[in-house]
């Protein structure tokens, strides 16, 4: 059971799994172009500690299934405050040396200023290669 859970957690962390839903295809595409492309989606989007990661991931997964099944996915997907708190904790965990020398009280979240770091800006369609789509 533990091996199965471990494989399921690892498999559903990866960008290829996340991109399998049409609604996330652009987020996966822009992630692939970013400086963070070597990281799995859930290294940023779920809590780092396993005891809090599993229930969080289950709740988010059930929500994703619901919105994809019933077609309530918004055109522009934005992180809610709870997700932003998780992302912020992961930014600070990985970039602890950088954040020690930065006034972190200027904005609430790192992504308020660094929005296109984790997901690079999408190129206009006329500048893309066929393989990029």
């Amino acid at each position: 059971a533990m091996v199965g859970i471990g494989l399921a957690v690892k498999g559903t962390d990866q960008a290829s799994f996340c991109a399998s839903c049409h609604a996330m295809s652009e987020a996966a595409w822009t992630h692939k172009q970013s400086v963070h492309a070597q990281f799995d989606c859930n290294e940023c989007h779920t809590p780092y500690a396993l005891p809090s990661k599993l229930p969080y991931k289950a709740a988010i997964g059930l929500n994703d299934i619901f919105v994809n099944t019933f077609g309530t996915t918004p055109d522009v997907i934005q992180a809610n405050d709870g997700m932003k708190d998780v992302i912020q904790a992961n930014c600070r965990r990985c970039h602890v040396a950088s954040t020690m020398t930065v006034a972190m009280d200027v904005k609430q979240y790192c992504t308020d200023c660094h929005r296109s770091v984790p997901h690079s800006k999408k190129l206009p369609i006329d500048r893309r290669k066929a393989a990029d789509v």
Side-chain angles (χ1 to χ4, degrees), residues 60-70:
I60 294 296
L62 288 172
N63 181 67
D64 289 347
I65 289 168
F66 179 82
V67 298
N68 283 303
T69 301
F70 294 105

Side-chain angles (χ1 to χ4, degrees), residues 24-36:
M24 296 308 294
S25 61
E26 183 166 329
W29 185 87
T30 60
H31 171 259
K32 186 170 71 172
Q33 310 303 314
S34 78
V35 298
H36 289 95

Side-chain angles (χ1 to χ4, degrees), residues 45-115:
H45 289 278
T46 61
Y48 180 71
L50 194 60
S52 54
K53 178 180 186 129
L54 294 178
Y56 184 88
K57 203 172 152 138
I60 294 296
L62 288 172
N63 181 67
D64 289 347
I65 289 168
F66 179 82
V67 298
N68 283 303
T69 301
F70 294 105
T72 58
T73 306
D75 290 336
V76 177
I77 298 172
Q78 302 212 11
N80 62 30
D81 288 344
M83 174 72 72
K84 287 180 181 180
D85 291 339
V86 168
I87 294 168
Q88 179 73 5
N90 286 321
C91 288
R92 294 189 81 168
R93 178 179 54 80
C94 289
H95 297 283
V96 67
S98 301
T99 59
M100 288 172 46
T101 61
V102 174
M104 296 298 293
D105 57 345
V106 174
K107 298 281 186 173
Q108 185 172 3
Y109 300 106
C110 296
T111 54
D112 289 342
C113 293
H114 300 279
R115 175 64 190 104

